[in-house]
Amino acid sequence: NLLEDKPEVPHYEVVSIPLGKIGSEVYSLRASTEKPPYPFVLVTGGTGCGKSAFMHEIILSGAYKYSPDELEFHVIDFKSADKATEFADYQYGKKMYIPHIKYLSLKSRPENALDILNYIQKLKSKRNRMGKFKSYNESNPSKKMPLIYVIIDEYESMLAGGETAGNSYEATMLQ
């Protein structure tokens, strides 16, 4: 069973989200929490090839394996209003609501993305002042610091504001 791949180590050392299985080999998205460079993943492909489905797999598998106080997601979807928004079902009160999703922006605009990226940057600075992720979670087991994944669907729409806007977003993400 793919989802039997439970954490071998605490979430504050390595996060391992199972994505698929071939034979007996489980393939996971693994991220070390203490060793830079911090992970960035860009998923590319043509229309209809499964990029959004892959992002759903990351969200659902991560939510199954980790509690909301260990892992949270901030989801920004730039699909236009006339297209179906797959992530809409994650909203509170909907059939696939997941408490791991702390921020969900549907039919988003570039300004919304910059706001959430600035928020994440401020949160990152605050966390850095609190000390190492691992040592904080070890010394505060009743108030865990979750690992945060930011998922941006239709990323190129965020950069459509031109070179200046694109550079602003990239600079914010890489800080």
Side-chain angles (χ1 to χ4, degrees), residues 17-67:
I17 299 175
L19 300 175
K21 189 172 185 177
I22 299 175
S24 62
E25 187 73 26
V26 174
Y27 292 87
S28 299
L29 176 64
R30 294 178 57 85
S32 171
T33 60
E34 295 291 333
K35 297 177 184 166
Y38 300 103
F40 294 93
V41 177
L42 180 62
V43 179
T44 64
T47 302
C49 73
K51 298 178 300 292
S52 294
F54 178 68
M55 290 183 227
H56 284 290
E57 181 67 26
I58 292 171
I59 292 169
L60 294 173
S61 292
Y64 179 84
K65 188 170 179 181
Y66 297 98
S67 70

Side-chain angles (χ1 to χ4, degrees), residues 104-122:
L104 178 62
S105 178
L106 304 172
K107 300 176 214 142
S108 196
R109 299 179 332 192
E111 298 81 24
N112 300 97
L114 190 55
D115 286 345
I116 190 60
L117 293 174
N118 283 326
Y119 166 77
I120 295 292
Q121 180 56 40
K122 288 176 186 170

Side-chain angles (χ1 to χ4, degrees), residues 33-144:
T33 60
E34 295 291 333
K35 297 177 184 166
Y38 300 103
F40 294 93
V41 177
L42 180 62
V43 179
T44 64
T47 302
C49 73
K51 298 178 300 292
S52 294
F54 178 68
M55 290 183 227
H56 284 290
E57 181 67 26
I58 292 171
I59 292 169
L60 294 173
S61 292
Y64 179 84
K65 188 170 179 181
Y66 297 98
S67 70
D69 61 342
E70 294 174 325
L71 179 65
E72 67 183 48
F73 295 97
H74 296 256
V75 180
I76 303 166
D77 189 355
F78 281 101
K79 285 192 177 66
S80 61
D82 61 328
K83 294 184 180 177
T85 306
E86 302 97 345
F87 296 103
D89 286 337
Y90 293 137
Q91 295 178 81
Y92 181 77
K94 297 284 186 159
K95 64 182 177 182
M96 289 180 59
Y97 168 71
I98 299 172
H100 298 69
I101 296 182
K102 301 298 182 196
Y103 178 85
L104 178 62
S105 178
L106 304 172
K107 300 176 214 142
S108 196
R109 299 179 332 192
E111 298 81 24
N112 300 97
L114 190 55
D115 286 345
I116 190 60
L117 293 174
N118 283 326
Y119 166 77
I120 295 292
Q121 180 56 40
K122 288 176 186 170
L123 184 59
K124 182 179 162 187
S125 295
K126 178 183 173 186
R127 287 175 163 207
N128 286 342
R129 289 190 302 274
M130 295 167 70
K132 294 274 191 191
F133 187 76
K134 177 181 176 181
S135 58
Y136 175 87
N137 280 301
E138 285 176 333
S139 59
N140 296 285
S142 63
K143 186 167 174 35
K144 296 177 184 173

